[in-house]
């Protein structure tokens, strides 16, 4: 693995000194249409971010042009996979707090305001994650699948981690915390879930919180079809296996309960 690049300098918040500046990071590949919608919603936030960083992960469509048209800073990452793209975006971020969503996320207008308020109110909080809903499912099916998917995700991954999980469509963490763990994440394995891998590296000693009021809309496209589901489960098991070789779950729980 090549040496990690140096981090850019932090940029002071333009508002009150106790309110952290926010960098929104969005990894994307061939997702111009969804990204256009996402960036329109980010532009409508009641709390403006310091910057929006779109990581172009080898797109062949208009993803980079859409990002630039919305004023986002486009950072290329040719290595395939979300782990490499997300980590490159976090490295490039200049704000006090890095806020992550996906190209198909649909954040409400108060999304960033909630992140800023929570991170400002609790300076000891390292990372924050929230929940979501599927905006492209039938009304009758959405609550059932949301509870089944997100509910089981947070419960089962919590057991695997010995602390709160992170969900890549809706998470935030302090830039200083990223600096502490960025050499530990598995950037070059495209078959890992980058959000679970990052949560593993944060470990039980750092504070990660779940906020049920921090909600974003997401597409259910990743749950459609047997091949998609099999790939998600295969990546989940691989992420667990890679990290449990370093520290098995019983050791993590022992460390958590000490």
């Amino acid at each position: 693995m090549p040496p990690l690049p140096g981090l850019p300098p932090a940029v002071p918040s333009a508002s009150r000194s106790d309110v952290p500046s926010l960098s929104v990071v969005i990894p994307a590949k061939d997702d111009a249409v969804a990204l256009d919608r996402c960036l329109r919603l980010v532009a409508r936030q009641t709390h403006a971010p310091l910057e929006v960083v779109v990581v172009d992960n080898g797109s062949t469509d208009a993803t980079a042009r859409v990002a630039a048209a919305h004023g986002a800073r486009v950072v290329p990452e040719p290595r395939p996979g979300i782990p490499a793209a997300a980590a490159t975006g976090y490295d490039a971020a200049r704000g006090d707090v890095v806020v992550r969503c996906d190209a198909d996320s649909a954040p409400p207008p108060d999304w960033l305001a909630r992140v800023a308020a929570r991170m400002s109110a609790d300076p000891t909080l390292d990372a924050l994650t929230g929940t979501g809903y599927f905006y492209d499912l039938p009304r009758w099916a959405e609550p059932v699948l949301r509870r089944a998917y997100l509910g089981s995700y947070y419960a089962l991954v919590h057991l695997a981690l010995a602390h709160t999980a992170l969900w890549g469509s809706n998470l935030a963490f302090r830039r200083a915390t990223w600096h502490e763990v960025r050499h530990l994440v598995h950037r070059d394995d495209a078959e890992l879930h980058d959000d679970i891998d990052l949560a593993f590296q944060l470990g039980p000693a750092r504070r990660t919180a779940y906020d049920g009021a921090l909600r974003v809309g997401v597409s259910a496209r990743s749950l459609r079809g047997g091949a998609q589901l099999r790939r998600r489960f295969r990546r989940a098991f691989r992420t667990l296996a890679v990290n449990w070789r370093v520290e098995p779950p019983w050791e993590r729980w022992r460390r958590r309960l000490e």
Side-chain angles (χ1 to χ4, degrees), residues 135-253:
Y135 55 69
D136 53 359
L137 285 179
R139 184 174 297 180
W140 62 267
E142 195 281 329
V144 175
L145 285 175
R146 168 168 36 91
R147 294 188 185 101
Y149 177 70
L150 288 176
S152 60
Y153 173 83
Y154 275 116
L156 294 175
V157 180
H158 182 102
L159 291 174
L161 292 166
H163 60 84
T164 302
L166 294 174
W167 182 43
S169 296
N170 187 9
L171 65 86
F173 49 86
R174 297 191 190 276
R175 183 174 176 272
T177 301
W178 169 248
H179 195 186
E180 294 171 358
V181 303
R182 70 189 188 116
H183 64 289
L184 299 173
V185 299
H186 297 86
R187 300 167 180 250
D188 298 319
D189 191 337
E191 292 304 311
L192 297 186
H193 283 305
D194 68 293
D195 46 4
I196 301 177
D197 185 58
L198 174 58
F200 264 109
Q201 313 321 324
L202 292 177
R206 294 182 179 85
R207 290 193 58 224
T208 302
Y210 169 83
D211 185 347
L214 189 66
R215 301 176 74 238
V216 300
V218 294
S219 173
R221 61 185 180 179
S222 63
L223 304 181
R224 293 191 176 101
Q228 287 278 18
L229 285 175
R230 286 192 296 273
R231 183 175 69 172
R232 294 193 71 81
F233 279 106
R234 183 177 66 249
R235 287 180 173 178
F237 289 128
R238 180 172 175 80
T239 309
L240 297 180
V242 165
N243 284 285
W244 280 349
R245 284 199 292 266
V246 178
E247 185 177 33
W250 53 87
E251 289 293 337
R252 296 180 69 88
W253 276 102

Side-chain angles (χ1 to χ4, degrees), residues 28-75:
K29 179 179 180 180
D30 294 335
D31 227 348
V33 174
L35 180 64
D36 180 69
R37 180 192 185 193
C38 179
L39 292 175
R40 290 179 188 276
L41 294 173
V42 171
R44 297 173 187 169
Q45 294 296 302
T46 58
H47 181 97
L50 174 71
E51 62 177 352
V52 178
V53 178
V54 173
V55 184
D56 180 15
N57 195 207
S59 298
T60 57
D61 70 352
T63 290
R65 293 196 298 275
V66 166
H70 282 280
R73 182 156 58 98
V74 180
V75 177

